[in-house]
DNA sequence: TATGAATGAGCGTTCATTCAT
DNA sequence: GATGAATGAACGCTCATTCAT
């Protein structure tokens, strides 16, 4: 796999542009995030600077997504280090995720805006599913682990993973809504709810 | 408030256009849903027909949203009729919602596409929050009711309502993903999880 | 086959634009013939007028080519009417072709400029060969006819047809060069040369 | 006239670039032959390398043309050495020209692409005439010679020279067309046709 | 009620070239 | 001798909308 070597100065410029693009996306939304608008906000000398440093708009978008995902992954790894049992891992996972959301509202907003507009590098129709799938799987692996070692009861891992991710991600928009969701309360309810459901047998109550 | 009177023929045309717009949105996404594209797909005589029957693009979008919400509301009302207790109402609410999602994939897809692009009539920055707020409140009222009559324990209603809505709405994209989520299983897990959390006291287990 | 119906006014506009495009191509060459330049020269109110009346640049190009070919075909048909024998037909063909070239220098210049830049409607790589092939075949049919009825001797029809077309078409640029080619003299030499070669047996002199 | 002195290494680089440019022109045509594209194909380290070694694009184009013309001239000189009479010289001229075309398809393709885009060094509008004029004159001198020593009859030398050049040059595109022109047959017909016309008096047959 | 015609503003992208080492 | 970085100008094209019947 060919890895492009970039100079220090080039990398710095790319970082600057990515930063400006994130701010622009968060402020005015995807539709109005044109190269011209980014240029304006970043105070770049020319719009051409962007197309000079990025192959095309899609490459810029991917760079943004990757940068943010890298940050998030690094943050998560740090937090997950101390976690032992599957239950503890799950609680840490949820808590850390919510904290990242809370502390990086603009990055998350940018991600949300970009979501539906990502094209695969080969030009195929984009599908945000493809980006979310591995995220779901990461969470699912924690749940499987708990089931295997007997910490958790049996349940539909896929379904529960989707619910947890949905509940985490949806928090992003409500945390900065007006009035905002109460962060600590939401985290507690979220952790409580899913700790409960994965530790209580489905035998007793069956519902249509 | 001024209420516009429309002739039968005008209403029929609007319906036709709304239908075509929904199909277009579901097929090609928001970005490519131009008046020209809708015109093409609907076989309309002129693109001008759309701007004649709708003030502007935003009005068309609102019409689509309102039409679909009306359908959904009507469907929900029918299903909620027989439900007695708050718990039963909640379970019916979740189940009916999921069924509507499953049975109206194209309408939901259209709604999803439109979501981030709705502007208020006054031209202000759009906020999908404003559309979702009353939906959350509708659900919250069921939860409050259960708490008041002692069916449910005390918990953060707002938080739980958000989680439930998130879990419902996120189902839409996974139900038609490849491979798809198992509908019945997802419904069961969803109902089970939230039935559990609203009936079990938070006293015992406190988590960070 | 779907035939687009155009209003009188639309057709007039298209004609006006095609005319302006021909003049522009003849004056400044293909590279500088942008929509903006055509707009300027034609005194159009907006560059958008062109993309309104033509699907894209390629459609405009094809319209130009077709219009000129139609004119040429009509002119040729008129002149060929009286011609009887194959030899007479060939001489008329050559003479009429040269006259059209002489009398329509700007159209020919436009055609020459467009030549290498035509794309097939399906977007495939263009090949000027595909446009020239039928022209060669039209000429070849005259030569075959003469061979069959004994007016002409046997020779490589394809080769001679290519030479005649080359000699005709190349005249276009020299007729308006500085100093210009002498039209009457060129016509006479051209007709003489090929009348001779198609009526003299190849038996006697064979050359490497 | 100022003659630029170039180092060995500089000359080698120029040659490399010229070669890459020829291949690019032959493969993708003039329009897509940008510095960036040439750089890519040649595996050059930077697009800047081209503008470093060549004043501007036009100088690169002229270098290509001159290089190819030099090759052709050298090839022609070799072949023409043995030819004695004017007729023999003409036949050799035609044959050798066609062979060069056949054996250097990519160079000829490059030349054809460049043709209409050459500008004079002073920046004036290009004229391919100026490049072709001396070529015509070289051929015309053979014809004049034959007329003067009585080998050929009297005819319009300019006209016949243009026809011969046209017939030679047009062969280039048909030789590599699909299906291709038969090379040997075309050469024979070409030589036969023009041998004939320059040795037969115009007195007898006069045509309109 | 419907339509054709027109339009200004904006888009991402491409180009050869220049600046500064 | 070579290079990275930067740049203004232009391109074809798309958009929702307005004008005028």
């Amino acid at each position: 796999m060919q890895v492009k070597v970039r100079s220090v100065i080039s990398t710095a410029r790319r970082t600057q542009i990515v930063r400006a693009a994130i701010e622009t996306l968060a402020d005015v939304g995807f539709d109005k995030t044109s190269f011209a608008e980014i240029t304006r906000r970043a105070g770049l000398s020319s719009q051409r600077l962007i197309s000079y440093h990025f192959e095309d708009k899609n490459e810029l978008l991917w760079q943004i997504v990757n940068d943010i995902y890298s940050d998030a992954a690094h943050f998560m790894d740090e937090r997950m280090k101390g976690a032992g049992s599957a239950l503890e891992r799950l609680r840490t996972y949820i808590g850390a995720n919510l904290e990242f959301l809370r502390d990086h509202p603009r990055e998350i907003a940018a991600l949300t805006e970009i979501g539906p507009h990502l094209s695969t590098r080969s030009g195929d129709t984009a599908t945000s599913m493809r980006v979310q799938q591995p995220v779901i799987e990461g969470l699912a692996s924690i749940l499987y682990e708990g089931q295997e070692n007997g910490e958790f009861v049996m349940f539909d891992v896929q379904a529960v993973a989707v619910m947890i991710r949905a509940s985490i991600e949806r928090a992003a928009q409500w945390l900065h809504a007006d009035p905002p969701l109460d962060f600590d309360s939401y985290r507690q309810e979220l952790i409580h709810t899913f700790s409960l459901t994965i530790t209580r047998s489905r035998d007793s109550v069956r519902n249509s």
Side-chain angles (χ1 to χ4, degrees), chain A residues 2-17:
Chain A
Q2 179 79 10
V3 173
K4 186 137 187 175
V5 180
R6 273 186 248 278
S7 72
V8 176
I9 217 171
S10 175
T11 303
R13 268 278 192 245
R14 284 172 66 96
T15 303
Q16 179 193 12
I17 293 168

Side-chain angles (χ1 to χ4, degrees), chain A residues 41-101:
Chain A
R41 287 169 173 263
L44 302 179
S45 51
S46 161
Q47 162 175 343
R48 182 67 179 75
L49 208 54
I50 302 178
S51 51
Y52 174 71
H53 285 283
F54 294 90
E55 194 70 23
D56 55 19
K57 194 177 191 179
N58 203 41
E59 199 212 327
L60 172 58
L61 261 24
W62 276 104
Q63 188 67 55
I64 295 171
V65 171
N66 288 336
D67 279 14
I68 299 176
Y69 269 58
S70 286
D71 281 359
H74 182 255
F75 178 82
M76 291 299 293
D77 286 350
E78 285 297 315
R79 298 295 250 79
M80 297 291 282
K81 269 180 184 165
S85 71
L87 182 59
E88 200 180 334
R89 288 175 59 77
L90 178 65
R91 289 177 168 177
T92 305
Y93 177 92
I94 293 175
N97 255 287
L98 289 176
E99 283 168 34
F100 189 85
L101 255 49

Side-chain angles (χ1 to χ4, degrees), chain A residues 178-190:
Chain A
D178 179 37
L181 203 56
D182 179 271
F183 179 79
D184 288 324
S185 177
Y186 190 80
R187 176 174 52 185
Q188 281 176 14
E189 289 291 353
L190 183 42

